[in-house]
Amino acid sequence: MLAIIDYRMGNIFSVFNALKRVCNAPPRIFTVSEGSGGERAADMPSALASVTVSGEIHDFLEEMEGIVLPGVGAFDDGIRNLQPFRAALLKAISEGVPFLGICLGMQLLFEESEESMFGRDSSQRKNEGEKGLGIFRGKVVRLHADVRVPHIGWNRLHIHRPSALLEGISEGDFFYFAHSFFCVPANDVVVATTEYGSEIPAVVSNDSETVFGVQFHPEKSSKKGLQIIKNFVKICKK
Protein backbone atom coordinates (compact mmCIF):
# COMPACT_ATOMS: atom_id res chain seq x y z
CA MET A 1 0.00 0.00 0.00
CA LEU A 2 1.17 3.53 -0.81
CA ALA A 3 1.01 6.65 1.37
CA ILE A 4 0.15 10.18 0.24
CA ILE A 5 1.37 12.95 2.54
CA ASP A 6 -1.28 15.65 3.00
CA TYR A 7 0.47 18.69 4.47
CA ARG A 8 -2.14 21.18 3.24
CA MET A 9 -0.17 22.31 0.20
CA GLY A 10 -2.48 21.80 -2.71
CA ASN A 11 -5.19 19.49 -3.96
CA ILE A 12 -4.24 15.85 -3.37
CA PHE A 13 -7.40 14.37 -4.87
CA SER A 14 -6.04 14.08 -8.43
CA VAL A 15 -2.93 12.30 -7.09
CA PHE A 16 -5.14 9.98 -5.05
CA ASN A 17 -7.30 9.18 -8.08
CA ALA A 18 -4.27 8.51 -10.33
CA LEU A 19 -2.76 6.13 -7.78
CA LYS A 20 -6.09 4.44 -7.17
CA ARG A 21 -6.33 3.63 -10.89
CA VAL A 22 -3.09 1.64 -10.88
CA CYS A 23 -2.89 0.25 -7.32
CA ASN A 24 -4.43 -3.00 -6.09
CA ALA A 25 -5.36 -1.18 -2.87
CA PRO A 26 -6.26 2.53 -2.58
CA PRO A 27 -3.43 4.70 -1.22
CA ARG A 28 -3.65 5.96 2.35
CA ILE A 29 -3.64 9.66 3.12
CA PHE A 30 -1.65 10.90 6.10
CA THR A 31 -2.44 14.26 7.62
CA VAL A 32 -2.10 16.15 10.92
CA SER A 33 -4.43 18.46 12.76
CA GLU A 34 -3.75 22.18 12.45
CA GLY A 35 -1.76 23.68 15.29
CA SER A 36 -1.60 20.60 17.50
CA GLY A 37 0.96 18.54 15.61
CA GLY A 38 -1.01 15.44 16.55
CA GLU A 39 -2.19 12.86 14.06
CA ARG A 40 -5.86 12.61 13.18
CA ALA A 41 -8.19 11.51 10.43
CA ALA A 42 -8.36 14.23 7.79
CA ASP A 43 -11.48 16.23 7.01
CA MET A 44 -11.96 14.66 3.60
CA PRO A 45 -14.95 14.27 1.32
CA SER A 46 -16.77 11.01 1.94
CA ALA A 47 -15.21 9.50 -1.17
CA LEU A 48 -11.80 9.61 0.52
CA ALA A 49 -12.72 9.24 4.17
CA SER A 50 -12.44 5.46 4.14
CA VAL A 51 -8.78 5.56 3.10
CA THR A 52 -7.64 8.33 5.41
CA VAL A 53 -5.77 7.04 8.44
CA SER A 54 -4.63 8.32 11.78
CA GLY A 55 -2.18 6.95 14.31
CA GLU A 56 1.58 7.01 14.79
CA ILE A 57 3.03 8.41 11.57
CA HIS A 58 6.47 6.84 12.13
CA ASP A 59 4.99 3.36 12.44
CA PHE A 60 2.64 3.70 9.49
CA LEU A 61 5.18 5.12 7.03
CA GLU A 62 7.68 2.35 7.68
CA GLU A 63 4.98 -0.17 6.74
CA MET A 64 4.17 1.53 3.42
CA GLU A 65 5.44 0.19 0.08
CA GLY A 66 6.02 3.75 -1.13
CA ILE A 67 5.43 7.41 -0.25
CA VAL A 68 4.16 10.23 -2.48
CA LEU A 69 4.63 13.90 -1.57
CA PRO A 70 2.54 16.17 -3.86
CA GLY A 71 2.41 19.93 -3.44
CA VAL A 72 1.92 23.40 -4.88
CA GLY A 73 2.72 26.73 -3.26
CA ALA A 74 5.54 28.38 -1.34
CA PHE A 75 8.64 26.55 -0.13
CA ASP A 76 8.50 28.13 3.36
CA ASP A 77 4.89 27.13 3.94
CA GLY A 78 5.54 23.67 2.59
CA ILE A 79 8.52 22.82 4.78
CA ARG A 80 6.83 24.27 7.89
CA ASN A 81 3.65 22.27 7.27
CA LEU A 82 5.76 19.19 6.64
CA GLN A 83 7.53 19.47 10.00
CA PRO A 84 5.35 16.87 11.83
CA PHE A 85 6.31 14.34 9.10
CA ARG A 86 9.97 15.32 8.72
CA ALA A 87 11.66 12.80 11.02
CA ALA A 88 9.41 9.96 9.84
CA LEU A 89 9.99 10.78 6.17
CA LEU A 90 13.77 10.99 6.56
CA LYS A 91 13.81 7.68 8.42
CA ALA A 92 11.66 5.94 5.81
CA ILE A 93 13.80 7.32 2.98
CA SER A 94 17.02 6.24 4.74
CA GLU A 95 15.59 2.72 5.00
CA GLY A 96 14.92 2.59 1.25
CA VAL A 97 11.14 3.10 1.14
CA PRO A 98 10.50 4.39 -2.43
CA PHE A 99 9.60 8.09 -2.47
CA LEU A 100 8.15 10.35 -5.18
CA GLY A 101 8.04 14.14 -4.77
CA ILE A 102 5.77 16.02 -7.18
CA CYS A 103 6.27 19.73 -8.05
CA LEU A 104 6.76 21.45 -4.65
CA GLY A 105 7.30 17.95 -3.27
CA MET A 106 10.37 17.66 -5.51
CA GLN A 107 11.68 21.09 -4.47
CA LEU A 108 11.40 20.25 -0.77
CA LEU A 109 13.88 17.41 -1.32
CA PHE A 110 16.63 20.00 -1.81
CA GLU A 111 18.56 21.99 0.80
CA GLU A 112 17.13 25.48 0.45
CA SER A 113 15.11 27.83 -1.73
CA GLU A 114 15.71 31.30 -3.07
CA GLU A 115 12.00 31.88 -2.47
CA SER A 116 12.47 31.14 1.21
CA MET A 117 15.53 33.40 1.60
CA PHE A 118 14.34 36.36 -0.48
CA GLY A 119 10.60 36.03 -1.02
CA ARG A 120 9.53 37.55 -4.33
CA ASP A 121 12.06 40.42 -4.14
CA SER A 122 15.45 38.85 -4.90
CA SER A 123 17.27 42.14 -4.14
CA GLN A 124 16.53 42.06 -0.41
CA ARG A 125 17.37 39.11 1.78
CA LYS A 126 14.48 38.16 4.03
CA ASN A 127 16.19 35.78 6.47
CA GLU A 128 18.11 32.53 6.47
CA GLY A 129 15.00 30.80 5.21
CA GLU A 130 13.51 27.42 5.96
CA LYS A 131 15.75 24.44 5.26
CA GLY A 132 14.56 21.71 2.95
CA LEU A 133 14.79 17.98 3.57
CA GLY A 134 18.31 17.92 2.12
CA ILE A 135 17.96 14.57 0.38
CA PHE A 136 19.53 16.17 -2.69
CA ARG A 137 22.29 18.78 -2.54
CA GLY A 138 21.46 22.08 -4.20
CA LYS A 139 18.89 24.84 -4.10
CA VAL A 140 15.66 26.05 -5.65
CA VAL A 141 15.69 29.30 -7.67
CA ARG A 142 13.16 31.50 -9.44
CA LEU A 143 12.49 31.08 -13.15
CA HIS A 144 14.41 33.53 -15.29
CA ALA A 145 13.02 37.01 -15.93
CA ASP A 146 12.81 36.53 -19.71
CA VAL A 147 10.03 33.92 -19.49
CA ARG A 148 6.45 34.16 -18.30
CA VAL A 149 6.11 33.28 -14.61
CA PRO A 150 4.55 31.06 -13.47
CA HIS A 151 5.27 28.44 -16.07
CA ILE A 152 1.92 26.81 -16.75
CA GLY A 153 1.47 24.42 -19.64
CA TRP A 154 2.74 21.41 -21.55
CA ASN A 155 6.45 20.98 -22.22
CA ARG A 156 8.61 18.29 -23.81
CA LEU A 157 10.77 16.00 -21.72
CA HIS A 158 14.43 15.53 -22.68
CA ILE A 159 15.81 12.28 -21.27
CA HIS A 160 19.42 12.32 -20.07
CA ARG A 161 19.74 8.79 -18.74
CA PRO A 162 17.64 5.65 -18.38
CA SER A 163 15.44 5.31 -15.31
CA ALA A 164 12.86 2.83 -14.12
CA LEU A 165 10.56 5.81 -13.53
CA LEU A 166 10.63 6.63 -17.26
CA GLU A 167 9.91 3.17 -18.62
CA GLY A 168 7.59 3.61 -21.62
CA ILE A 169 8.38 7.35 -21.85
CA SER A 170 10.04 8.62 -25.03
CA GLU A 171 12.23 11.61 -25.80
CA GLY A 172 9.98 14.61 -26.50
CA ASP A 173 6.89 13.37 -24.69
CA PHE A 174 4.79 16.19 -23.23
CA PHE A 175 4.03 16.70 -19.53
CA TYR A 176 2.07 19.36 -17.65
CA PHE A 177 4.02 21.93 -15.60
CA ALA A 178 2.81 24.59 -13.14
CA HIS A 179 5.59 26.31 -11.17
CA SER A 180 7.52 29.55 -10.59
CA PHE A 181 10.75 28.06 -9.21
CA PHE A 182 13.03 25.24 -10.30
CA CYS A 183 15.75 23.07 -8.78
CA VAL A 184 19.50 23.54 -9.32
CA PRO A 185 21.20 20.34 -8.14
CA ALA A 186 24.77 20.51 -6.84
CA ASN A 187 25.57 17.00 -8.06
CA ASP A 188 24.54 14.60 -10.80
CA VAL A 189 20.96 13.62 -9.98
CA VAL A 190 19.19 14.84 -13.15
CA VAL A 191 17.37 12.15 -15.11
CA ALA A 192 15.45 14.42 -17.51
CA THR A 193 15.04 18.12 -18.26
CA THR A 194 12.70 20.48 -20.07
CA GLU A 195 13.35 23.79 -21.82
CA TYR A 196 11.74 26.93 -20.45
CA GLY A 197 14.05 29.91 -20.85
CA SER A 198 16.87 27.54 -19.93
CA GLU A 199 17.36 23.86 -19.25
CA ILE A 200 15.30 22.96 -16.17
CA PRO A 201 15.55 19.67 -14.24
CA ALA A 202 12.25 17.87 -14.71
CA VAL A 203 13.10 14.47 -13.17
CA VAL A 204 15.73 13.72 -10.51
CA SER A 205 16.66 10.57 -8.63
CA ASN A 206 19.29 9.18 -6.30
CA ASP A 207 21.73 6.52 -7.53
CA SER A 208 19.75 3.64 -6.07
CA GLU A 209 16.53 4.90 -7.68
CA THR A 210 14.53 4.87 -4.47
CA VAL A 211 13.99 8.65 -4.26
CA PHE A 212 12.50 10.52 -7.23
CA GLY A 213 11.34 14.04 -7.87
CA VAL A 214 9.33 15.33 -10.83
CA GLN A 215 8.76 19.04 -11.47
CA PHE A 216 5.72 18.35 -13.65
CA HIS A 217 2.38 16.95 -12.52
CA PRO A 218 2.08 13.33 -13.71
CA GLU A 219 -1.45 13.14 -12.30
CA LYS A 220 -2.46 15.89 -14.77
CA SER A 221 -0.37 14.69 -17.72
CA SER A 222 -2.78 12.30 -19.43
CA LYS A 223 -1.59 8.82 -20.49
CA LYS A 224 2.11 9.57 -20.23
CA GLY A 225 1.66 10.93 -16.73
CA LEU A 226 -0.26 7.84 -15.73
CA GLN A 227 2.63 5.77 -17.08
CA ILE A 228 4.94 7.58 -14.64
CA ILE A 229 2.56 6.72 -11.80
CA LYS A 230 2.44 3.07 -12.95
CA ASN A 231 6.23 2.95 -13.06
CA PHE A 232 6.53 4.29 -9.52
CA VAL A 233 4.03 1.73 -8.25
CA LYS A 234 6.03 -0.99 -10.01
CA ILE A 235 9.20 0.25 -8.28
CA CYS A 236 7.39 0.11 -4.94
CA LYS A 237 6.40 -3.51 -5.52
CA LYS A 238 9.98 -4.75 -6.03
Side-chain angles (χ1 to χ4, degrees):
M1 185 172 291
L2 272 66
I4 301 174
I5 304 299
D6 174 18
Y7 58 121
R8 304 184 186 280
M9 294 301 296
N11 189 334
I12 65 169
F13 301 154
S14 55
V15 175
F16 171 85
N17 287 330
L19 284 167
K20 186 179 177 182
R21 287 182 64 181
V22 301
C23 291
N24 293 329
R28 290 186 172 181
I29 300 169
F30 290 78
T31 189
V32 293
S33 57
E34 293 186 37
S36 70
E39 295 85 359
R40 67 166 178 82
D43 296 324
M44 293 289 177
S46 57
L48 298 186
S50 62
V51 298
T52 303
V53 302
S54 61
E56 292 299 326
I57 290 176
H58 289 76
D59 295 339
F60 275 119
L61 287 186
E62 289 181 37
E63 296 173 0
M64 294 294 105
E65 294 174 306
I67 301 170
V68 179
L69 182 69
V72 294
F75 188 96
D76 264 6
D77 292 338
I79 206 65
R80 281 195 293 265
N81 290 1
L82 197 62
Q83 191 59 35
F85 299 100
R86 188 180 186 115
L89 286 175
L90 292 175
K91 188 172 188 296
I93 289 171
S94 71
E95 294 180 353
V97 177
F99 182 97
L100 175 63
I102 297 173
C103 197
L104 177 61
M106 168 176 161
Q107 295 176 6
L108 295 177
L109 291 170
F110 285 80
E111 295 172 300
E112 61 185 9
S113 173
E114 189 176 86
E115 179 183 24
S116 177
M117 292 184 290
F118 295 97
R120 296 192 177 275
D121 181 2
S122 60
S123 66
Q124 185 175 2
R125 191 178 184 91
K126 184 171 58 174
N127 50 47
E128 289 304 315
E130 298 288 343
K131 298 300 181 183
L133 294 175
I135 301 300
F136 297 127
R137 291 178 52 218
K139 61 183 180 179
V140 180
V141 302
R142 188 168 176 80
L143 289 169
H144 301 296
D146 58 348
V147 295
R148 180 176 295 179
V149 179
H151 170 205
I152 299 177
W154 295 79
N155 271 61
R156 294 181 183 274
L157 206 65
H158 302 299
I159 300 172
H160 290 230
R161 59 181 171 90
S163 171
L165 191 69
L166 299 185
E167 183 178 334
I169 304 301
S170 301
E171 174 72 17
D173 282 345
F174 282 92
F175 291 86
Y176 182 79
F177 291 78
H179 63 113
S180 299
F181 290 77
F182 69 98
C183 301
V184 181
N187 49 6
D188 186 17
V189 298
V190 176
V191 173
T193 59
T194 193
E195 292 289 333
Y196 191 70
S198 64
E199 190 176 52
I200 293 172
V203 183
V204 296
S205 88
N206 60 356
D207 290 338
S208 59
E209 292 222 308
T210 56
V211 181
F212 301 92
V214 293
Q215 185 60 72
F216 53 85
H217 288 270
E219 76 280 7
K220 298 180 179 179
S221 296
S222 192
K223 291 182 179 180
K224 293 297 182 178
L226 192 62
Q227 182 64 47
I228 296 282
I229 299 292
K230 289 179 180 178
N231 292 342
F232 181 68
V233 171
K234 184 178 178 180
I235 291 166
C236 294
K237 299 295 184 181
K238 289 183 178 179

